[in-house]
Amino acid sequence: MAQDLDFTEDPVDVPNPDRGPYRGRWQWVETRFGATPEVDHRVPVAPRTPTFHGATLVAPGVVGVVEGDDLEPTEFFDGHDRSPLYLGGTGVSAAPSVSFLGFDLCHFSSNAFLSRADGRAFDAELTAAGGVPTREMFLGRTGTTAPLTSYALDVVRRTLQRVRDGAGTALVKLSYDGNGFNFVEGGADEHLICGPEPTHVTPNNPSATCDVPGHEDKSWIELHLWQLAPVLHEYEDVITCVKTGMLGPWGEQHSSPCAQDPAAYASLLDAYLAAVPASRPLLTHVGGYLAWYNATHGTRHTFHDLDQLPVPEPGSPESRFGHFHDSYAAGHEPGGGWTDHGSLSEGAEMLVGPGAETGYDRHGVVSWVGRQGSVVQGEGGLAPNVFSRLPGAIIEAQRLGTTLLNMRHGAYSTWNDVEYTEETVTAPVTFPGRHDGGEPPFSGRTARAVFDPVYAGRTGLEFMRDRLGYRLVLRSSELTDVVDPRTGVLECSGHVQNVGFGGVVNRKQVVVVLRAVDGSACVTAPTDLDVRDWRPAPDGDNRPGNTDAWHAYRVPVGMAAFGAVAPGDYDVHLRIADPKETTAHRRGLRFANRGTWVAELGANRVGRVTVRA
């Protein structure tokens, strides 16, 4: 029987796990370690180790340690620096469901500076010495290359436990310079001070190979990931993805010698594949992935032939890699092309000979990333250009499958100042060709976005906020009218449309929940429905009338699977959550329909059935 529900999309913020805006801790503040953007939480060696947590806006005028439970509704940043804190300014808020957990392991690398002042002082001495470092220059200014202590591992574990105790999931990043102390940023003198990795050989770090008995076959990075593996497996249920940020300043995989070495990516990504649960995506850049792929398969791919790489087979190591985009839609740089501050072209040069043409082409890279069908995570950017202005931003996000965006680092007024109208959204957009400069006219392809009348009159920022990752709308629902409690089969069927930019990446368990209308009983039965098949329309037409983009589902459940079910009327729900979720109601996937979500069950009501006596 067809159910009487509201099958239209409710155009509001729906905080679902593994997708959406996240509140990055990019706050330029003064600490006892000097001015720092406070990107990552510094992992201590022992209880008395000097350290800090990210200083993040909790509420207007309030600063506190909120790492792991930073999921309160927060306004998107409008691009105007209100130092020492970014205060939003767009008037458009979101309730992030993904907590950014950056772990800075600087205390465990003899090349990683412990403060901005330490890095600058080293840099001054190095310059005075003609660029030749000595061990004395490092002393007292860096960590010490060594195994992670049990206390350090417990800090990571406790932080992930806060996520599990809360209502969200975690974007995990591990690095040796999460706060950028090894880099001089800004201006003509921008440069790397020293590669922060414990695998970078310097007078203060004479060997990349660890000397721990029984682990002499590992690099120091491999040892640290081996140590972290049990913690990551323990908290698999609340991890969205893991950023493979052990190379370079901020863990962004650029600038340092290790971050420009293909062999370093081969060993790094193999170590992450071994350490992180197989169910979770790993984020890297295109160059890093190609370096790993070539080493794994004996190939010599570069950016020249990205389109020749096969689409990853489900369940393969290749399918586990997503993409991080550290300057999302930042656009063109004089002399550098349309590379988003190098974020999209990162690693291209290390795959070819010195001075050779890299083969980088933005169109080709974006197409390749989209074909991967995995997580795409973006940091700040949004410089005013064709890729960040609407409607180009919509087309770009659909092609990439943009999943996660840092709502605290980016000029989101770019989207907020635009009303979402048919005229604006469907205007043709011509993108830059490979060799075009920073200003139109451009010679690339021309495309149009599809106008969704559900968002008519809202802001472009509201539309973009709600389309990040997946967004599931129930379009129809049919249930068995009356069922026998012992021999009957409850037939649940219907259609779901994914109107987001991307898909459900991490596997979910779909459970049918029957709750008596009078509240006397609640029983459940598992199904084998795989919601990862619910992909968005490839042409971006997610309008409700595009029934070709609807996904049919059919779930027959024998009543015996529920156990003893008393006669009466029952509301039927679909609970969609991680297979290893430890609670009965948290982190369930919520349909973007009015009146279907039941918070105490963490499930979506899809109708009603009568169990006969």
Side-chain angles (χ1 to χ4, degrees), residues 59-183:
V62 180
V63 177
V65 176
V66 293
E67 199 161 23
D69 49 7
D70 50 345
L71 301 175
E72 297 87 351
T74 311
E75 282 188 19
F76 283 83
F77 176 51
D78 65 2
H80 297 289
D81 188 358
R82 296 174 177 84
S83 295
L85 294 173
Y86 292 174
L87 298 176
T90 61
V92 175
S93 66
S97 59
V98 176
S99 179
F100 175 70
L101 298 186
F103 296 106
D104 187 345
L105 304 176
C106 60
H107 283 296
F108 300 93
S109 173
S110 296
N111 293 324
F113 297 113
L114 300 180
S115 74
R116 186 166 300 282
D118 287 327
R120 294 296 178 89
F122 174 93
D123 192 40
E125 289 189 24
L126 184 65
T127 301
V132 180
T134 65
R135 185 170 185 272
E136 288 69 28
M137 294 179 187
F138 290 91
L139 294 181
R141 292 170 173 163
T142 66
T144 300
T145 299
L148 303 179
T149 61
S150 59
Y151 184 80
L153 294 170
D154 281 343
V155 166
V156 177
R157 182 177 286 107
R158 288 197 300 270
T159 307
L160 284 166
Q161 183 62 46
R162 286 202 294 274
V163 176
R164 181 180 281 166
D165 292 341
T169 54
L171 160 58
V172 176
K173 186 185 83 172
L174 304 161
S175 75
Y176 295 102
D177 186 24
N179 295 282
F181 295 151
N182 280 62
F183 198 83

Side-chain angles (χ1 to χ4, degrees), residues 496-585:
V496 170
Q497 185 176 9
N498 182 352
V499 299
F501 293 142
V504 180
V505 176
N506 293 332
R507 188 169 76 87
K508 305 298 178 185
Q509 174 73 64
V510 180
V511 174
V512 177
V513 181
L514 300 185
R515 184 166 72 169
V517 173
D518 63 9
S520 61
C522 186
V523 293
T524 65
T527 76
D528 58 2
L529 187 63
D530 192 345
V531 301
R532 292 175 296 182
D533 295 333
W534 296 347
R535 300 288 303 178
D539 61 357
D541 185 357
N542 293 317
R543 293 173 295 184
N546 182 18
T547 56
D548 289 342
W550 293 13
H551 296 274
Y553 69 87
R554 178 177 175 273
V555 183
V557 183
M559 290 301 292
F562 293 104
V565 182
D569 293 331
Y570 288 80
D571 283 327
V572 182
H573 310 79
L574 297 181
R575 171 157 166 77
I576 309 170
D578 191 273
K580 295 187 178 181
E581 172 60 46
T582 59
T583 72
H585 65 283

